[in-house]
Amino acid sequence: MGRFEASPVSVRRTVHERSSGVRIPAPDERGGSSSWRIGGLAGEGIDTAGDLLAKAHVRAGRHVWVTRHFPSRIRGGLTTCTVRVAGHPVAAPSGVVDVLVALHADGADPVKQSLRPGGILLYDESAVTPPDGPTDHEWVALDATGMAKALGEPRARNTIMLGASARILGLDMTVLEDVVVERFGKKRDEGRLSEVAEKNLAALKEGFDGVADVSPPPRPLPPETPRQGDLFLSANEAFAYGALVAGCRFYAGYPITPATTIMEYLAATLPRFGGVCLQVEDEIAAANMAIGAGFTGARAMTATSGPGLSLMAEAMGLAGSTETPVVIVDCMRPGPSTGMPTKTGQEDLSFLLHGGHGEVPHVVLAVEDLASAFTTAIDAFNLAEHYQCAVYVALDLALSMGKGDTPPFDVDGVVLDRGKRFARVGATEGAGAPETGEGYARYRETADAIPLRAVPGDVGGRHYANSTEHDERGYTTEVPATRVAMVDRRNRKLGDIDTLHQGLIFEGDKDAPLGIIAFGSPVPVIREALALARPQGVAGELCVMRRLLPLPRAELDAFFDRHERVLVVEGNSTAQLLSHLRAHCPEAHRAESLLKYDGDPFRVDEVLAAVMRPSEVTA
Amino acid sequence: MGRFEASPVSVRRTVHERSSGVRIPAPDERGGSSSWRIGGLAGEGIDTAGDLLAKAHVRAGRHVWVTRHFPSRIRGGLTTCTVRVAGHPVAAPSGVVDVLVALHADGADPVKQSLRPGGILLYDESAVTPPDGPTDHEWVALDATGMAKALGEPRARNTIMLGASARILGLDMTVLEDVVVERFGKKRDEGRLSEVAEKNLAALKEGFDGVADVSPPPRPLPPETPRQGDLFLSANEAFAYGALVAGCRFYAGYPITPATTIMEYLAATLPRFGGVCLQVEDEIAAANMAIGAGFTGARAMTATSGPGLSLMAEAMGLAGSTETPVVIVDCMRPGPSTGMPTKTGQEDLSFLLHGGHGEVPHVVLAVEDLASAFTTAIDAFNLAEHYQCAVYVALDLALSMGKGDTPPFDVDGVVLDRGKRFARVGATEGAGAPETGEGYARYRETADAIPLRAVPGDVGGRHYANSTEHDERGYTTEVPATRVAMVDRRNRKLGDIDTLHQGLIFEGDKDAPLGIIAFGSPVPVIREALALARPQGVAGELCVMRRLLPLPRAELDAFFDRHERVLVVEGNSTAQLLSHLRAHCPEAHRAESLLKYDGDPFRVDEVLAAVMRPSEVTA
Amino acid sequence: MTDGHRLPTETGRAFADFKDKAPNWCPGCGDFGVLGAMQRAAAELDLDPDRTVLVTGIGCSGNVTAFFRTYGFHGVHGRALPAATGIKLADPALTVLVAGGDGDGFGIGLGHLVHAARRNLDVTYIVMDNQTYGLTKGQVSPTSAQGFVTKTTPDGSPDAPVDALALSLIAGATYLGVGFSGDIKRLTELIKGAVRHEGFSLVQTMSPCVTFNKTNTFSWYKDRLVDLEAEGHDPTDRAAALHQVTRTDGRIPHGLIFRTERPPLHRAVGVLGGREAAPATEDLEFTLRSRAADLKALRDRFA
Amino acid sequence: MTDGHRLPTETGRAFADFKDKAPNWCPGCGDFGVLGAMQRAAAELDLDPDRTVLVTGIGCSGNVTAFFRTYGFHGVHGRALPAATGIKLADPALTVLVAGGDGDGFGIGLGHLVHAARRNLDVTYIVMDNQTYGLTKGQVSPTSAQGFVTKTTPDGSPDAPVDALALSLIAGATYLGVGFSGDIKRLTELIKGAVRHEGFSLVQTMSPCVTFNKTNTFSWYKDRLVDLEAEGHDPTDRAAALHQVTRTDGRIPHGLIFRTERPPLHRAVGVLGGREAAPATEDLEFTLRSRAADLKALRDRFA
Ligand SMILES: Cc1ncc(C[n+]2csc(CCOP(=O)(O)OP(=O)(O)O)c2C)c(N)n1
Ligand SMILES: Cc1ncc(C[n+]2csc(CCOP(=O)(O)OP(=O)(O)O)c2C)c(N)n1
Ligand code: SF4
Ligand code: SF4
Ligand SMILES: [Mg+2]
Ligand SMILES: [Mg+2]
C-alpha cells in the first residue's frame, strides 16, 4: 500500500482499473446529445472550426461543451476539438464521438478517436487513406485540400469540413454562415464583407455541397430552445470577466498553461477601467506585486498553475501575516513538477489547503462550471477584502480550456463587500481618533476578530504591515501573550464565513441512499451521470463544494448523516479531498473514493459505473 | 470556531488558556534537577558562560540541557542562557530557575526570569540595583565589572560570574578550570597557557572567592555518574555530523535561523572529505543544486527554515518527478511568513506532508533529541537513496539551538544503503544489456516499484531525467496508460518502508489507559512529565513519531486500540499532527490535543497538567 | 482622489516627524546614518507620511521600516521591489521608498532589481551595503570580496562579488548614486535627488556592520571613496558613468553617478489605461454602476 | 574514479551519435539549427555521451534534452543553472551543457545567471533567444523590444528589454559569444570554444520562433548581425567587448565577444577540498571505514 492509506471500511476505486465487465454506455448513446470531433495538426484551424460549430449550435438554441486535446508542444502533434451538443445544459465530454472529421492521417484512427460503431468519418482525401475492406464506420471522403486551393484560400480546409459537417449533422446553414462572417469579417448587415469572409463563406458552401445528405442523420440534433444572449466562453474567460466586474484593478502574472488566458483577457480589458495588467519576471514577483497592490486598497489578483503556485508559497504567508486581501487563482494541471501542462487534474488541493510554511488562515474556493466561474470571482474578491486574507480559487484545465454556453451573467445583481475600512468606519471599533492616527492600531482585536483596515493615503491610518510576528500596531514582537493573541485572532476571524458564503450546493435527492461529494470539473459530469442513473432507479444527492476551506463542517456532517453510501469523486491519485474530509468529519472514514489521474477529465460513463453498483446495473 | 475544527468527541487544549487553578510544580521543584540562568546583552559572553558551565557538568558526569533565549536582532536585546542539570538525561527546560545571574539590569527581573521563591540572584553590582526592602529571593552582589577591569580583561565578567556560580552551586572548580582552559588556550598538559586563558582562570578564581558558600546549597547537585566520552552539542551539530558520516558530500544552502549552524558545521568539515559546501543566492538555487548533485550520485542535502522551505516547494516536485534522492532539513520556527525567527514551533508539518503542487511521494522524518539527530541523518540519506526520493527532516529551534549531552555516536555501527544502482546491478532487474544502454530504462517498472538508478558516468546508463511526465525512459509522454502506470509506481514504491525503517518508538507502559503521541522537541519534555506522573499513580505510553510520512498506519491503529485516552502534543495552533492522524486513523477522532504556539518550547509542568486530569492531580 | 478621507495634512515637517520606534541596531551600526539621512531627506522634501510608503525586505537594514514614520510594508526576504511595484502601480500618487540589505537586494533579490530597473519603476531604492549578512550573524554576502572569511566560507569566499553598480546601470536604472553612512549630508542630498527623480533610482549606500564585518569598516570605506564632484564627473554622461562603475583602481565612486530621463513604468502606454493617478481606494461600487453598460457590452462579446 | 563501471567507450563519434528522439519543434523553428550545431560540436569535440550532461529548463528550447543523446536533466523552468551547478560540483569530470530559452534564462532565471557567471561555474550555457515565450504560445519575453505587441501586451510591452549580453559580461562570464541559428558553422565553432573553455561560457543564440514572432525573423536578424571577425574585434580586450555589448547602432555583434581566464568555481580554494575530480559515485562505504578515525576525531571534538 502506497501513500493512499484508506481506512479499512472504505472503498477506493480508480477509473483506470479493469472494468467489471459491465459495459456502461456513453451518454450520447442514450440519445439527447451527440458529439462531433475534428482532428488535425495544430495550426490547421482545429479550434476555430470547433468554436464556430459550437457557436452556431448555441445561436440555434442548443447546449454545447467544447473540449480541446493537444500536446504540450506547438506544432506537429495531433490536436482535436470536440463539440458535444445537447438539449440540456452539459459541461462534460461524452467519451464517444458520432462524427469524426480528419484533416490529417493521425486524426483518422476511429478507435483512438473514440468514434462509435456506425459513426461517420469525414476525411480529407488528400491527407487520409481509408482502410481497405469493410469497417465499422462510414467513411466519407472530401477533397478539402483541392477545394481550398481552388478557392485561393488553402487555409480554409477547416471551413470546408465545417460546411460538410453541417450537411451531415442536419444543421441550419444560415446560423453557421452568421458566425463565420462574424469571425472573419463584418457583420452581414454592416455592409461589405472582407475578402477572407467571402472566401470562407464560399468554402462553407463548397463543403456543404461536397457531401450527400445522410439519412437518417447520424443522431438527431437535440431540440432547439432559443434563449436570449447566451454566452459561449471558457471558465477562464468567465472568471476573468467576473474579476473585472468585481473591481479587480491590478493583475500581475507569468504565463503558464492553462492560466494564461486569464491574463490575456485582463490585458485587453483592465486598462480600459484604469487598471493595471502586467506580465512580470516570475510568479514570486507576481504574487508579491499583487499583495503590494492589495495593501494599497486595490483589488488585486494573480493566476497560475501548479509550478507557479509552488513559487507563491512564501507569499501565501506574507498575505496571511500582513492580513492583505489578494486573490490567487490556480488553474490546475497534473503534476508532479512540470507534469502534464496540457492535461487536467485536481492534484493541488492539499497544497492549496495547507499552503506554505507556518499557519496562514485563508480561503479556498472552487469553480465547477461557467456560471460559478463568474459568481466565484465576485465571491473571491468580497471574501478577500472582508476577511483581509488570501483567497485561492481552484479551477482545472478541463474548465479553464473547455468552452460552453451559459445564460448571460447578472452584472446588475453584483454586490461588493469592501470589508471594514478605516476610511469609512473612522473612529469606531475602538480605533481611537483617526485624525491623529495615534489611536489607530491596524491589528487590534475586535469582536469578530477582523481588524480595521487602513490603506496608504488614509490620513491617520499610518501603520506598519509586517511579515514578522507583530503587536496590534504592526511592530515586531516576541512577547508570548501578544503572539498567542495574534494567532488566535487570525485563526478566529474566518469563523463566521458560513453566514457570508454558501460553501456547499446541494442538488438532487436528499432522501436517496447515495450521496456524492465533489468540486471542480467533475461536477457537471456527475450531474449528468446522476440524471442518467435516475431512470434506472438509482437516485442520489450531489454535494458541490464551492468552498474547500474553511470547511463547511456542520453541513457536511449532516450530509454524511443522511446518506448510507457516500462517494467522493476527485481527479488525483491520493484522494486528497477525501483525506481533507476525513481529517475533520469522522463519518468520512466510511466514504468511498473514485479517482482519476490520467490527465483526461472524468467521463459520464466512468462516474456512472461507480454510481451504479454492478447489481444495480444489471437490474 | 476558526480553522481548528475539532471533532465533537475530542478535547482541544492549549497551554495558553487560563489554568484550572491547580498548581503543577516545575520538575526542578521535585528535586533531581536544578536550573541556572545567566542574562545580559548579546555580546556579553552569555552563551559562552552557559556552555562552559554545562560542559563542566557533563565532564563531572551529570546531564544537562542548555537553552538560549534571544531576540531577533543583533545587539541591545536581552539574551539569556539557561543550564539545567540533572541526574537523569534531560532535554527540556524546567521552567523555573534556582540561580539567576544578571550581567545587566534587564536580566535581573526575578519574575520575568522565573526565579523560584527562595532562589539566588547573583548580580553585577555595577549594572544592577537590587530592590529596596525584603524580597522572595536571596540577592548576592558581586562587582564583576570592577574585578574584570582590575584583571585587565573587561570582557571576563562572564567568567567571574561563572566562578561565583561554581561556589554557590557547590561545583568542583578543577573541571571548570579545565573547560575554561580548553576554550581560551592550550590544554593544561600541553605547556604554557595563552594570556587570555590565564586571565580567565584568574577571573574564575576571583569570582569563586568573591562570594560566600551557600549552605545548604540552593538545591543539591545531582549525583555524578561519570561516563566516557559523552558529547555536548546541539541537535543541528549532531545532525550535521551524522550527515557527514552518512556520506553527504554536497551541501548548498542559504543562511536562515535556526538552520545556519548546519551549514557552518559542514563548511568547516565537508572539504576535508572531498565534499562541497556552498552558500548560494537563495533557497531555490540551493534545492535545485542539491537535486542536481543527487542526480550525479552524490549524497546531497540542504537545510533551511520555513521561509526557505516555502521557496523549495517547486523543487519538491522536481525531486519527485525525476526520482532523485535528496535530503532537505527544515529547522522549524514559528510562522506565518517571517514569523518569529528566534523562537520555536512545529508549524511546518502540514507543508512538509503535502509539499508543493501535485502529488509527490516523499518521506518526512523527525528528530526528537540528540541521539535521534545522529541516527536520523543516517536514515535520511539511506531512505533517500533507497527510495529515490526527497527525504525531509523536521527539527525545531528548541532542538536546533538547544544543547545537551549524549553518549558518543556509534560511527562503526553505521550501515549505508545506496539503493538499487545500475553500476552494481548491471543487467538484472530486466534492465537489458548495460553495455549498450539500449536495454536500460531508468523508470521501468520493477517488482518493488523502485526503478534501477544510473548516474552520469555509468556507461550504458544514459537517460533523461524529466520534470515533465515521462515514459520509462524519461521521454515526455501524454499517453494516459503510461501516466497512470508512472503515478501508480511512484505511489507504490514507498509501500514497504515499515520493513526498512522504524517509524514509531514506543516508550513506557503499554497497559496504561493513557497514550501520548508526539514528535520533535516536545518528546523529551513528555518523557520527563511521564516520569514525574508515574509516582503519582498516572502511567502512560509515549509514541514517538520518527516518521510522519508515510504514516506507520498499522502500529498507530494498534496504539489507539490499546489506550483509552490518547493525547496528541504538538507546537502549533491548528493541531496539524492530529489532523494528519485523523485523516488516516478513524480512531484518532477521539484523541485529545495539547497545543502550544507562543514561540517557547513546551515545559514539563505544562505537559504534566494535561497528563494529570484535575481529579488525578488532587488525588 | 474620490474618497473624502484623503484630507491634506499640515506641511513643514521636521526631522522628528519621521521618527518612529527607537532603532535597535548595534551601537555604531552604519544603518543609523542611513536612517538619519532618510529622515532628513523626508523632512526637507516635506514628504507626507500618510502618502509615503517605505517597503523593506528582511535584514538588519530591513528593520528600518519600524523606525521611519510613514506607512510601512516589511515584506519577505528579497521581495521588497515586487511588493513596491504593486504599491506604486496600484496608487501612483504615493511616494514609494524601498530599503534593504546587500543580501536582500543583490543576492536573493537580484533578478527583481534588474527587472525593476528595466521597467524604470518609479521608486527610490536605498541599499544598505555592509558586505555581509548582518541579521543572520555574519555570513558571506554577494558583495563580499572574493576570499572573505566567514563561518560559511572558512576558506574564503570562492565567488567574485556582484558588481551591483555596473549591473544596475546596464539594467536600466535612471538614477544611480553611491552614498556612505559616514557622510549623512551627501547621502541626504542623494536620497532627495532620488525621490524627486521620476524613475528607478538606486542609492547604493556603504553602511558598515560593526559587529560582523571587521574588514569593511568606516575607515576602510573612507580610504577608498572618491568624491565624484571633486573629480568633475558629469552624471548625465552615460559613458563616464559606465567608466565610474567599472573602475579597476579599487576606489569607490561617491556621489551621483548617473541620471537620465525615461518614462517610468506607470506612464507607459497601456499600463494605467491613461489614468494619471488613480487612487487605490477607488470607489468600485460607483464604477460598477456608472460603467455597467461598458461591462455588459464586454459580456455580450461572448454571445 | 573508484567505480569500475566507468569504462572508456569508443571514440571518434559522429554527428548521428548525438541524435536521440526526432525533434517536434514547428517546421522552420530556429532551434533545429541550434541542435544541429550542438550535435556537430559534440561530435567534433568527441564528447563522451556517458560523461556529458545536458541540463535544460522549460520551454520549446528546453525540450532539446530529448533530442540530444547524452545524459539529460530537464529541470524546472528557470532553474537549469542551479541544477547544473550541483551536477558540475558533485562530479567535475562531467562535461556540463546547459540550454534554454530567453524567458527561462533572462526572465525567471536571471538571478541565477548573474550568480553562475560571478562564480565562473564551468558550464556552457546556450540560450536560444527568440524574443518570445514559444511554448506558452507567444507572450512577451524579457528580450522582446519595448512596444512588442502580444496577447499579454496588447498596447505593446512597456519594459525595456533585458540586455543579456552586457549583463553577462558585467556579471563575470569568462566566455561570451553570440551565435545565430542561421549560421550553423559559426555557431558550432562558438559552442566548441565554449565547451573547451574552463569557466562560465554563454553562447547567446538568435533562434527565431517562426510561429509566434513575426518580427524577429531569420531575415530580421540577418540584416542586423555584424561579423565580429570581419570587424577585427579582439575578444581578449575587455573594453572592446564592453563596447560591443553596449552598441547603440541597433546592430547585433555576431561571433566571439569576450574570452578571459579565471579559476572556475570547482577549482576555488575550499570548494572541493583539493580533490581534482572526485566522481559523484564515490564509494562512501569505503570512505566511511577507511576514514573512521578522522570521523571519530571530529566527533570527539564535541566531548
Ligand atoms: C527566504 C528567506 N531566507 C533566509 C532568511 C534569513 N535571512 C534574514 S535576513 C538575511 C540576510 C541579511 O543580509 P542583508 O540582506 O545583507 O541585510 P543586513 O542584515 O546585512 O542588513 C537572511 C538570509 C529569510 N528571512 N527568508
Ligand atoms: C514556474 C513556471 N512558470 C511558468 C511555466 C510555463 N512556461 C513554460 S515554458 C515558459 C516560457 C518559455 O519561453 P522561453 O524560455 O523563452 O522558451 P521558448 O519556448 O521560447 O524556447 C513558461 C512561462 C512553467 N513551466 N513553470
Ligand atoms: S549586526 Fe551589523 S548590520 Fe546588524 S545591527 Fe549590528 S552592526 Fe548593524
Ligand atoms: S513555437 Fe516557436 S520556438 Fe516553439 S517550436 Fe514553434 S517555432 Fe520553435
Ligand atoms: Mg548586509
Ligand atoms: Mg523564448
Side-chain angles (χ1 to χ4, degrees), chain A residues 1 73 82 171 264 297 352 384 394 468 524 551 554 566 579 595 605:
Chain A
M1 194 164 63
R73 58 188 189 184
T82 308
L171 192 73
E264 290 174 353
L352 289 166
T468 308
L551 198 67
V566 175
S579 296
L595 306 174
D605 56 307

Side-chain angles (χ1 to χ4, degrees), chain A residues 21-41:
Chain A
V22 180
R23 199 185 100 77
I24 304 282
D28 288 0
E29 297 179 73
R30 299 166 190 259
S33 72
S34 141
S35 293
W36 170 96
R37 174 172 296 171
I38 183 165
L41 302 189

